[in-house]
Amino acid sequence: MRSIAVMNQKGGVGKTTTVVNLSAALCALGKRVLALDIDPQSNLTTWLLGPGSEELEGTVAELLQGALNLEDVVMSTGIEGLDLAPADLRLSGAERTLAGEIAAETILRKVIDRADLAPCEEDPGFDLYDFLIIDCPPSVGMLTVNALSAVKEIVIPVQAQALSLNGVANLRRVIGVIQSRLNPQLRISGILLSMTDGRTNLSREVEETTRRHFGDLVFETTIRENVRVAECPSHFLPLSDYAPSSPAVADYRKLAEEVLGREGQEKVPLQETA
């Protein structure tokens, strides 16, 4: 099972949008995805569960506190191939509790490691999911550190606007510390340019600068700005279900194909690319 954290400490760059629509695109290609919400704002959970997100019994908060196992909280989203480990505001309290725990930074990794995700007794190596994709908070706190300690890959959405690259540059230090102290296997799977508009000089300049600084680490795919992308969360649907004719649907499918194509490739530590 490939494990990916979608993160950027800058808010409003499309992290949750990327998780939902990349997951849906992977499922459309026949993959099985478990999305995990580790953001106390729980936008991913609200998007995928709609009104059902208001009556959750087991959440990621209980996972981190040791009260439940991962398989106890996983829910179906109604999208074929896509399940969710949900979150709600209880996660804020769990984060405060974790601050006093020993080895708190690796609790999520241990939860995932002991989860029963191999339901086929005849083939113990068979995973229930092809991908675990984690939606991270827009900060580098205990929850984000737990996510980065638990996965092997990171996808970094970058909005095609001025100052966006500052956040990516700041991530160099964070990822370097995680790699050296907690998770030496952690690598950048790709930097994703989102909300691009090829008609504007600014968008083109940001893309050119990003590719010049980070080279092949930047996904060839860019996500075009489209009003339907902003609308679909309020309808509790991925873009491919809400507006299948939107140009961004093709973008996310191309992104999913590119993510699949990068499997097994050597990932480059971000601090070595600038």
Side-chain angles (χ1 to χ4, degrees), residues 20-60:
V20 171
N21 291 304
L22 172 59
S23 296
L26 287 167
C27 290
L29 293 171
K31 301 301 179 181
R32 298 152 299 170
V33 179
L34 174 59
L36 189 150
D37 193 349
I38 202 166
D39 185 349
Q41 298 180 72
S42 61
N43 291 328
L44 175 65
T45 298
T46 301
W47 188 338
L48 291 176
L49 298 183
S53 63
E54 299 176 2
E55 300 178 355
L56 297 171
E57 295 184 2
T59 70
V60 171

Side-chain angles (χ1 to χ4, degrees), residues 2-153:
R2 289 177 64 183
S3 52
I4 300 173
V6 178
M7 68 90 61
N8 189 327
Q9 62 191 23
K10 186 178 185 300
V13 298
K15 292 185 294 295
T16 302
T17 299
T18 299
V19 172
V20 171
N21 291 304
L22 172 59
S23 296
L26 287 167
C27 290
L29 293 171
K31 301 301 179 181
R32 298 152 299 170
V33 179
L34 174 59
L36 189 150
D37 193 349
I38 202 166
D39 185 349
Q41 298 180 72
S42 61
N43 291 328
L44 175 65
T45 298
T46 301
W47 188 338
L48 291 176
L49 298 183
S53 63
E54 299 176 2
E55 300 178 355
L56 297 171
E57 295 184 2
T59 70
V60 171
E62 284 73 38
L63 292 185
L64 297 176
Q65 293 169 332
L68 294 172
N69 294 319
L70 179 58
E71 52 269 32
D72 297 327
V73 306
V74 170
M75 305 176 66
S76 172
T77 64
I79 301 167
E80 186 175 357
L82 177 59
D83 289 343
L84 171 71
D88 60 15
L89 282 175
R90 283 174 284 183
L91 194 52
S92 294
E95 183 173 26
R96 290 191 293 271
T97 301
L98 289 179
E101 296 288 334
I102 297 174
E105 300 89 347
T106 60
I107 289 176
L108 181 61
R109 180 168 69 197
K110 293 172 183 175
V111 166
I112 293 170
D113 286 346
R114 69 170 179 260
D116 183 12
L117 300 180
C120 182
E121 295 182 0
E122 294 79 13
D123 183 5
F126 174 78
D127 286 336
L128 184 59
Y129 301 101
D130 300 296
F131 285 86
L132 168 69
I133 302 181
I134 302 179
D135 189 22
C136 297
S139 64
V140 187
M142 184 62 70
L143 295 174
T144 297
V145 171
N146 260 269
L148 297 185
S149 298
V151 302
K152 294 182 180 179
E153 303 178 44

Side-chain angles (χ1 to χ4, degrees), residues 217-228:
L217 202 57
V218 183
F219 286 112
E220 286 296 322
T221 305
T222 62
I223 308 301
R224 287 168 281 184
E225 187 170 16
N226 186 284
V227 67
R228 301 301 184 196

